[in-house]
Amino acid sequence: MTESALSARLPRGRHGLPREQVIASQRERILVATAEAMAENGYIGTSVAAILKRAGVSRETFYEQFRSKEDCFEAAYQRAVQLLLDRIAEATEQEEAAPAQGDGDAVAGMDRILRAYLQYLVDDPASARLFLVEVFAVGSAAIARRAQLQERFVELIAVVLDARTEQQRFACQALAAAVGAMVTARIAAGDSDGLLALREPLLDLLRRGGGLYGAALDVRGEPSA
């Protein structure tokens, strides 16, 4: 079990903690256990009983918070996504609100985003597998949520690269889709080194693409046609 799940365990015996803290601790343990169990056995192969055993909570406690395994997966998915977004926000919080004004600034901005994104996938492979791989086994609604997450990534890229035209926006969508496909394949294969190795070639692709992706990469300082 991960360090976060262990740290969320309550002290044994009578502890006098507020009920809200107890519930929050139990919920965190369940969500971490869900990601870890599904990383090992897949969504289909993971039972509620397996989650309970890993989390160290009762069936009654589980159903006080979640209607079903799918409902629990949804909560674990949202947790994983928020952790990813927080990691990226932390890496980019020093960025100015205005779009980057030159090739170097834009590439540096994308470098920070890619570093944070790829490192998170390496640091928390169970959560990464949850929202990149196992989501496809859950159903159409979960897949739609994955598409929404990818669109948020597109928005982030478009701001950093100052994508102004429909063509530039489409290029950013294609880039995000390519990144999603490549990281998903490596997560499925458990290839952490391969994940981190994606950063440099992706940055090189941006440099060579120039204004194709946004005005911030156009050395002429104007949007591409």
Side-chain angles (χ1 to χ4, degrees):
M1 186 171 290
T2 65
E3 182 179 350
S4 60
L6 289 171
S7 64
R9 286 193 177 277
L10 298 171
R12 295 183 180 276
R14 299 179 65 86
H15 46 65
L17 296 174
R19 176 167 172 76
E20 293 76 11
Q21 186 173 342
V22 173
I23 292 174
S25 172
Q26 292 171 336
R27 183 179 182 86
E28 176 71 5
R29 282 156 52 192
I30 291 170
L31 297 183
V32 171
T34 298
E36 292 179 344
M38 291 182 182
E40 290 184 7
N41 304 306
Y43 176 81
I44 301 298
T46 298
S47 65
V48 170
I51 296 172
L52 301 181
K53 182 178 180 180
R54 187 179 287 266
V57 300
S58 68
R59 185 170 293 270
E60 180 182 10
T61 295
F62 179 91
Y63 284 107
E64 283 176 352
Q65 301 204 36
F66 306 105
R67 297 186 303 275
S68 62
K69 182 177 79 170
E70 183 175 351
D71 184 40
C72 182
F73 174 90
E74 167 66 19
Y77 178 92
Q78 294 297 337
R79 172 188 177 275
V81 169
Q82 191 57 55
L83 288 173
L84 170 61
L85 295 176
D86 289 347
R87 180 73 69 90
I88 293 176
E90 181 180 351
T92 59
E93 64 184 0
Q94 302 302 323
E95 291 288 301
E96 295 182 355
Q101 297 300 311
D103 174 277
D105 292 337
V107 172
M110 282 302 302
D111 187 20
R112 282 187 284 271
I113 292 171
L114 288 173
R115 280 180 185 272
Y117 177 51
L118 297 174
Q119 192 61 55
Y120 170 76
L121 301 183
V122 170
D123 291 345
D124 194 349
S127 291
R129 187 177 182 91
L130 196 76
F131 68 76
L132 288 171
V133 179
E134 296 308 322
V135 65
F136 289 106
V138 183
S140 57
I143 295 172
R145 285 189 288 275
R146 186 186 190 278
Q148 291 172 354
L149 173 61
Q150 183 163 299
E151 193 58 27
R152 294 179 73 172
F153 192 47
V154 172
E155 292 290 346
L156 188 59
I157 294 172
V159 169
V160 172
L161 302 183
D162 193 16
R164 302 178 185 179
T165 68
E166 291 184 10
Q167 292 88 345
Q168 289 172 335
R169 171 78 183 191
F170 181 80
C172 291
Q173 290 174 325
L175 176 64
V179 171
M182 288 188 287
V183 299
T184 298
R186 286 159 178 78
I187 285 291
D191 184 8
S192 297
D193 291 338
L195 280 169
L196 296 177
L198 287 172
R199 185 178 62 85
E200 282 296 342
L202 285 170
L203 292 175
D204 182 59
L205 179 66
L206 287 172
R207 294 186 187 99
R208 289 186 287 113
L212 170 69
Y213 295 103
L217 289 173
D218 194 332
V219 295
R220 298 169 302 174
E222 59 188 32
S224 297

